Amino acid sequence: MVRQEHSDNPQQLELLRVCRIGRAQGLKGEVNVFAFTDDPEYRFAPGSVLYTQDGSREFVVNASRSHKNRWILHFDGVNDRNASEALNGIELFGEPDDPEDMAEEDAWYPRDLIGLEARMDSENQLGRAADEVIGTVVDVLDGTAQSLLKIRLSNPTTDERTVLVPFVDALVPEIDLDEGYLTLDPPGGLIPGL
């Protein structure tokens, strides 16, 4: 991982919460962390830089390892138990990935999806009109198997004002952040009224 310095640009994207430091581990400055990231190997790689939320302090990962579903990190300059105990409770943040790289990998941050218009895909299995507006994405929920898009329906035909759609390629074939929409190819019965 290439070490990135925290940007001084006021237009910088907001930082993403990566972990919260827990108790000290051993006597040599290691700490246990509770990870909020879905890619800890990347975020905790040696040389990675993490920041406090206001960006005033930076922590460079010197070494990392996982042990029994938890991560143990050692930061540059934290060399004894007293120094590591002083960090307990601090939340650390990282810079977002490059949006173009994420688009190539079909990876999205939930905040990028919220507010997108949900339209019918041009090749939908229900035979509905292409680009028919279904609603707007209002939330992204973490499910056990996959994330779910919570969509506020534009024209609800029942008492249900929102619907949950699994966020998988088969049901959400296209996402266009620049144009502000995503397309849906739902099976019959998933969305009331379709």
Side-chain angles (χ1 to χ4, degrees):
M1 173 176 187
V2 175
R3 182 174 182 218
Q4 294 180 327
E5 294 295 328
H6 183 63
S7 174
D8 292 330
N9 181 351
Q11 300 301 318
Q12 173 196 341
L13 296 172
E14 69 182 69
L15 296 172
L16 303 172
R17 186 172 68 154
V18 174
C19 66
R20 181 178 57 245
I21 299 174
R23 60 182 172 77
Q25 174 73 30
L27 301 173
K28 297 182 180 177
E30 291 182 317
V31 293
N32 287 279
V33 297
F34 179 76
F36 299 117
T37 178
D38 60 354
D39 195 0
E41 291 85 6
Y42 169 73
R43 292 291 179 179
F44 302 149
S48 297
V49 183
L50 301 172
Y51 308 93
T52 54
Q53 187 170 18
D54 63 3
S56 64
R57 291 178 66 188
E58 79 173 27
F59 295 83
V60 179
V61 177
N62 185 36
S64 64
R65 59 189 165 100
S66 64
H67 179 70
K68 294 184 180 181
N69 297 326
R70 62 188 166 122
W71 280 89
I72 300 169
L73 305 182
H74 183 265
F75 298 111
D76 285 349
V78 180
N79 297 318
D80 60 41
R81 187 168 183 90
N82 289 337
S84 61
E85 285 177 345
L87 302 177
N88 192 350
I90 294 175
E91 289 194 341
L92 297 179
F93 296 75
E95 299 220 17
D97 293 329
D98 183 278
E100 291 177 16
D101 291 343
M102 290 183 65
E104 286 178 21
E105 297 173 12
D106 283 334
W108 316 98
Y109 289 121
R111 69 167 188 251
D112 294 336
L113 302 173
I114 295 172
L116 293 182
E117 185 176 72
R119 304 175 183 173
M120 290 300 291
D121 191 63
S122 60
E123 298 178 17
N124 69 80
Q125 59 187 318
L126 298 177
R128 305 289 291 209
D131 295 330
E132 176 185 349
V133 176
I134 303 303
T136 304
V137 178
V138 294
D139 202 357
V140 180
L141 309 171
D142 286 328
T144 54
Q146 74 271 328
S147 294
L148 300 169
L149 298 177
K150 184 175 183 180
I151 298 174
R152 180 180 301 121
L153 300 174
S154 296
N155 299 311
T157 57
T158 65
D159 288 338
E160 291 187 54
R161 301 284 186 236
T162 61
V163 65
L164 297 178
V165 175
F167 186 42
V168 295
D169 288 340
L171 301 180
V172 187
E174 182 183 0
I175 298 172
D176 190 329
L177 296 180
D178 293 332
E179 297 295 323
Y181 73 90
L182 56 79
T183 64
L184 300 176
D185 185 10
L190 180 65
I191 299 176
L194 295 184

